Amino acid sequence: MTKKFWQLSPAERRVLLVDQGILTQAQADFWSTQTTLPETVLLGLSENNIGQMSLPVGVVPNVQIAGKAVTIPLATEEPSVVAAISHGFKMMSQGRTIQVVKNIHGVTGQIGLQHVSASDLTILQDHQADLQRIGLAAHPTLTSHGGAIRQIQIKRVGQSDAAIIVTVDSGNAMGANIMNDILEAMARTVTQLTNAEVLFAVLTNDGRDSLTQLTVTVAFDQLTTKTWSGEQVAQRIQALADWAQTDPRRAVTHNKGIMNGVEAIVLATGNDTRAVNAAAHAYAAVSGQYCGLSHWHVETDGLHGEMTLPLPVGTVGGATKVLPSAQQALALLHQPSAVQLQAIAASVGLAANLAALHALVTDGIQRGHMRLQYDSLAVRVGATAAEIAPLAAALAAADKPSETLAQQLLSQLRHKGEN
């Protein structure tokens, strides 16, 4: 009987991916070796470091995103995340029904000014072209990498303050450092032109200038279980998704399920998980109430999903070029542009969301989740690679699995092996 991908050992998966042309042998060798980052890299990434830690990297192979097949790398310590995303993409016909409706990439920053007179505002309005020239001079490589300063806005804030809002197309960079260089150069000029006082000059992690919008259609037969028809499951998913639009408590968990997937690919590719999380949860509250980021509704041809997500990520600069594992992860994705990575990450989030909703309205979240937790429990009590699967199966069959029981079952397993 042929093993499924998730049933293979890591070594067997690497061999298969090499045979399929997804990995080169050099890439497979990289993932097979636990590499230690050199001290120079550690010092460049973090202060006061005393060492480093590792996370597993799993993959979901052969997913179609915008007509292109990719193998998606996911860095996570949560056992059920990769399995859930794989299941979500399977229900989406391996991503073939995903449509990218909107995909823009950029970054916005603010210069906050105090004690701004009416004449100061007029001066700033009149000197927008100068501010743009000075901003570009602060980062001269921006235009050579396909970027530009898109817009400069000057807005009154309250009675005596004002903000200069700058929007930049940052090319394939996430753009935080580019934006801060531009803003600080502009801020110095503002103090020369006006009597206003600069309070701050920094990017905003709002993320609405890097929005990706997806739609997907899931056929009813992909949702069917032993207990429920596909149409019934679809109706229940719609009801649960609607609940997340009106109940913030449900919405938080709904969105956490999305971010389980998004954060795993963001981390794998060396991007800023804090920035992406901040932007996503802020966007979830853009209406004034915290709501679910995805919408699901039933139509005659299946279950339709839609999600718009801010994804401030990049594929050049920062840790993407410092971490060898991030470089390898981007290679798995065929060296995507920033907007391509946004589309892939959003698709991962939608797959994770669909899998979570499907589990909740059918068997419950714990069944699949605990199957993988038993693997972790087996490792915790000292099971070898060959012992994990049989011990996890024995734990799944037990009435009350526990660490004590796991130790007992492991002893029994080893005793049988000796006889």
Side-chain angles (χ1 to χ4, degrees), residues 79-161:
S80 61
V81 166
V82 178
I85 293 166
S86 296
H87 185 219
F89 276 123
K90 183 179 178 181
M91 288 186 284
M92 295 178 183
S93 300
Q94 284 302 100
R96 289 180 180 85
T97 62
I98 294 173
Q99 299 293 320
V100 181
V101 177
K102 180 179 183 179
N103 209 8
I104 59 171
H105 181 69
V107 61
T108 293
Q110 298 170 296
I111 302 173
L113 304 175
Q114 292 182 303
H115 317 302
V116 184
S117 66
S119 61
D120 288 333
L121 280 179
T122 301
I123 291 169
L124 292 173
Q125 295 285 1
D126 291 343
H127 285 81
Q128 285 192 47
D130 293 328
L131 291 175
Q132 182 162 0
R133 175 180 53 78
I134 289 160
L136 288 173
H139 223 292
T141 61
L142 178 64
T143 52
S144 64
H145 288 104
I149 296 178
R150 285 186 195 153
Q151 188 178 46
I152 298 174
Q153 297 174 283
I154 297 157
K155 293 186 175 181
R156 172 66 79 183
V157 178
Q159 297 297 315
S160 61
D161 297 340

Side-chain angles (χ1 to χ4, degrees), residues 4 50 73 183 287 343 347 416:
K4 295 182 180 179
I50 60 170
L183 293 173
S287 68
S347 299
K416 288 180 181 178

Side-chain angles (χ1 to χ4, degrees), residues 186-198:
M186 287 183 178
R188 289 190 290 271
T189 299
V190 168
T191 59
Q192 297 168 3
L193 291 173
T194 71
N195 293 315
E197 180 180 340
V198 175

Side-chain angles (χ1 to χ4, degrees), residues 140-381:
T141 61
L142 178 64
T143 52
S144 64
H145 288 104
I149 296 178
R150 285 186 195 153
Q151 188 178 46
I152 298 174
Q153 297 174 283
I154 297 157
K155 293 186 175 181
R156 172 66 79 183
V157 178
Q159 297 297 315
S160 61
D161 297 340
I164 302 175
I165 302 170
V166 182
T167 304
V168 168
D169 178 343
S170 52
N172 284 321
M174 182 268 192
N177 292 329
I178 293 171
M179 175 56 72
N180 289 337
D181 285 344
I182 289 170
L183 293 173
E184 290 181 4
M186 287 183 178
R188 289 190 290 271
T189 299
V190 168
T191 59
Q192 297 168 3
L193 291 173
T194 71
N195 293 315
E197 180 180 340
V198 175
L199 181 63
F200 66 90
V202 71
L203 87 158
T204 170
N205 288 116
D206 176 82
R208 276 179 280 179
D209 292 295
S210 286
L211 281 180
T212 299
Q213 183 181 5
L214 303 177
T215 62
V216 66
T217 302
V218 184
F220 290 132
D221 61 6
Q222 296 296 321
L223 302 171
T224 303
T225 70
K226 292 179 180 179
T227 307
W228 306 92
S229 71
E231 290 90 340
Q232 288 173 316
V233 173
Q235 292 288 351
R236 289 169 66 80
I237 287 175
Q238 175 178 307
L240 184 55
D242 288 347
W243 200 301
Q245 297 305 313
T246 58
D247 180 359
R249 288 180 183 271
R250 170 86 278 272
V252 170
T253 309
H254 181 101
N255 292 341
K256 191 267 185 183
I258 294 169
M259 300 311 292
N260 278 344
V262 172
E263 182 164 325
I265 186 172
V266 168
L267 184 60
T269 56
N271 275 282
D272 188 341
T273 57
R274 290 88 53 204
V276 171
N277 269 297
H281 292 296
Y283 193 74
V286 73
S287 68
Q289 175 180 306
Y290 189 91
C291 300
L293 286 161
S294 67
H295 302 261
W296 296 90
H297 63 276
V298 179
E299 295 189 9
T300 56
D301 60 340
L303 178 67
H304 286 244
E306 184 273 327
M307 182 173 70
T308 303
L309 195 64
L311 283 159
V313 297
T315 56
V316 299
T320 64
K321 293 302 181 186
V322 175
L323 290 172
S325 58
Q327 296 169 33
Q328 292 289 338
L330 290 168
L332 261 179
L333 296 168
H334 307 306
Q335 304 297 346
S337 65
V339 290
Q340 288 171 335
L341 181 57
Q342 287 177 213
I344 295 167
S347 299
V348 169
L350 199 57
N353 179 231
L354 175 60
L357 297 180
H358 186 273
L360 277 170
V361 302
T362 55
D363 296 328
I365 203 72
Q366 283 297 83
R367 181 177 176 181
H369 181 74
M370 288 311 298
R371 180 182 67 79
L372 291 158
Q373 290 293 343
Y374 296 143
D375 290 351
S376 292
L377 181 53
V379 172
R380 202 156 68 236
V381 298

Side-chain angles (χ1 to χ4, degrees), residues 37-52:
L37 293 175
E39 188 171 309
T40 51
V41 174
L42 295 179
L43 293 173
L45 290 174
S46 176
E47 296 179 350
N48 296 352
N49 70 75
I50 60 170
Q52 57 188 288

